[in-house]
Amino acid sequence: MPESSRETERTRAAAPFGLAEVTGPSMVPTLRHGDQLLVRYGARVRAGDVVVLRHPFQQDLLVVKRAVERRAGGWWVLGDNAYAGGDSTDYGAVPDELILGRVRFRYRPLGPDQRSPLALVRWALSAARPVPADRSASRRLRAR
């Protein structure tokens, strides 16, 4: 995720929506590296929502994870890719004040290998999608 700045903080206060870019594999298959996200800042979070948060130990770093459940001290967040790490199994529950917003929409840019007519049609049909909430907490907890 991109680093935050003072300008981003001012913009966030003025507009409830913002953009973010995914970097890394932690949310595959839901989100991929390079996906652009529309984030609703200050939105109410429920279990299963994909959220943008400040990393608990490195607060200038923004991360995208799935809010799995409420626990003492905040939200337990996990990546959809069980092998990528970098979630609550590493740093525990995330306090509410570090959860910035809920991801509402995903846009996947056209890749350099998507130039054939069939590839363009497939991209056009899947490039922009709402990001669904996964309400099946039992599946998300992955017995860690």
Side-chain angles (χ1 to χ4, degrees):
M1 293 302 305
E3 291 187 11
S4 182
S5 67
R6 285 192 173 90
E7 186 63 32
T8 304
E9 296 296 328
R10 274 187 247 124
T11 304
R12 200 175 297 141
F17 289 95
L19 297 175
E21 181 178 350
V22 176
T23 57
S26 72
M27 288 299 293
V28 169
T30 307
L31 303 173
R32 295 186 205 151
H33 180 82
D35 284 356
Q36 304 293 315
L37 305 176
L38 178 65
V39 181
R40 168 74 192 232
Y41 291 106
R44 187 173 142 241
V45 176
R46 297 184 344 192
D49 289 338
V50 176
V51 296
V52 173
L53 58 115
R54 290 193 184 283
H55 192 284
F57 301 141
Q58 195 178 353
Q59 294 193 9
D60 60 337
L61 177 66
L62 301 181
V63 243
V64 177
K65 300 293 178 193
R66 191 172 299 276
V68 177
E69 68 179 8
R70 296 284 305 170
R71 291 193 177 179
W75 281 98
W76 190 260
V77 296
L78 295 174
D80 284 357
N81 181 350
Y83 303 105
D87 52 25
S88 286
T89 57
D90 296 328
Y91 46 73
V94 177
D96 288 332
E97 59 269 12
L98 296 182
I99 305 287
L100 301 178
R102 193 167 108 194
V103 175
R104 303 297 297 187
F105 202 76
R106 181 258 311 155
Y107 169 75
R108 186 161 290 150
L110 185 64
D113 60 333
Q114 295 175 308
R115 300 291 180 225
S116 73
L118 179 59
L120 288 172
V121 169
R122 289 177 62 201
W123 170 81
L125 293 173
S126 68
R129 294 268 168 111
V131 176
D134 182 357
R135 304 282 183 228
S136 60
S138 61
R139 194 185 106 198
R140 297 290 327 125
L141 288 175
R142 294 194 311 250
R144 290 192 185 207

